[in-house]
Amino acid sequence: MGEAISISVPHIYLSALAFAEDLQMIHTPLITKFRCLPRIFLPESMGHGLEWAPIFTIFHESQVVLAAFSQDGSHIISVSKDGTVLTSESTSGQQVEKFTHLMGEISTAALSNDGTRIASGYQDRSIRLWDVSKGKQLGEPLIGHTDSVRSVAFSPDATRVVSSARDSTVRIWEAQSGTLVAGPFEIH
């Protein structure tokens, strides 16, 4: 990403200038050099001096398989294929927690509605449940699929986890004990 930015620095300025207010530090010295830029004009009813929402990036080393808001919207929880879980403030992007579990390649993940647990599905056919606040695995892996897990989801009350896999089956698990409650149901 750094290489792309270093090659395209002028484009970063050009993109920002269209949105910059007349008195902002970026606008004044550069606008005379780029006279053909489109300008964004807001209706008078919206007022002047609008504050733009912060733009931030949450960095992972590998592909992100889950990005979700916490129940109260104050945090973003993200999970990458390499097993890194980041919790960040949703208004600033500031990282609050980070944990990594190197249990194999994650293919999918889901956040419980209450934001306290993550279910992660793996290429090795297992499913694991995690405590978001402690970064610890809850119980033993859920084992039963015969091919890589493709999706997982919590029930609304977070007492059950449903999973599907490349073995063309769907299974329902009791989240607390890890017991298979229903399935496998074959899907065609």
Side-chain angles (χ1 to χ4, degrees):
M1 182 175 213
E3 182 181 337
I5 290 172
S6 68
I7 293 170
S8 303
V9 170
H11 293 286
I12 293 169
Y13 286 111
L14 291 174
S15 299
L17 277 174
F19 292 94
E21 291 183 39
D22 291 346
L23 299 177
Q24 287 181 335
M25 189 170 23
I26 191 174
H27 183 272
T28 305
L30 295 175
I31 197 63
T32 57
K33 295 177 180 19
F34 303 102
R35 294 198 179 268
C36 295
L37 280 180
R39 288 295 312 249
I40 309 297
F41 290 98
L42 299 173
E44 284 296 320
S45 61
M46 293 183 77
H48 295 286
L50 289 175
E51 291 187 27
W52 295 87
I55 298 172
F56 58 88
T57 304
I58 299 169
F59 288 104
H60 279 277
E61 299 286 324
S62 66
Q63 180 183 349
V64 175
V65 295
L66 168 71
F69 281 101
S70 61
Q71 186 177 26
D72 65 1
S74 65
H75 293 88
I76 296 170
I77 291 98
S78 55
V79 179
S80 62
K81 276 190 152 198
D82 68 3
T84 302
V85 178
L86 297 178
T87 303
S88 308
E89 292 179 358
S90 61
T91 55
S92 69
Q94 181 70 36
Q95 183 178 307
V96 177
E97 300 254 0
K98 176 181 180 176
F99 69 88
T100 303
H101 48 86
L102 300 174
M103 305 283 186
E105 188 174 320
I106 294 178
S107 53
T108 185
L111 181 68
S112 63
N113 281 345
D114 64 6
T116 62
R117 289 182 279 169
I118 292 172
S120 53
Y122 293 80
Q123 297 290 332
D124 72 0
R125 306 179 307 267
S126 68
I127 299 157
R128 291 180 170 82
L129 302 178
W130 301 89
D131 181 307
V132 172
S133 65
K134 296 178 183 161
K136 302 262 187 234
Q137 184 174 323
L138 300 169
E140 295 298 315
L142 312 181
I143 306 293
H145 286 290
T146 60
D147 205 341
S148 63
V149 178
R150 303 311 296 159
S151 68
V152 291
F154 282 94
S155 62
D157 63 2
T159 60
R160 304 228 169 145
V161 175
V162 63
S163 61
S164 68
R166 286 205 165 178
D167 61 9
S168 298
T169 66
V170 172
R171 296 167 192 257
I172 302 172
W173 311 85
E174 204 282 321
Q176 190 69 23
S177 68
T179 307
L180 184 65
V181 175
F185 305 110
E186 290 202 33
I187 46 179
H188 300 281

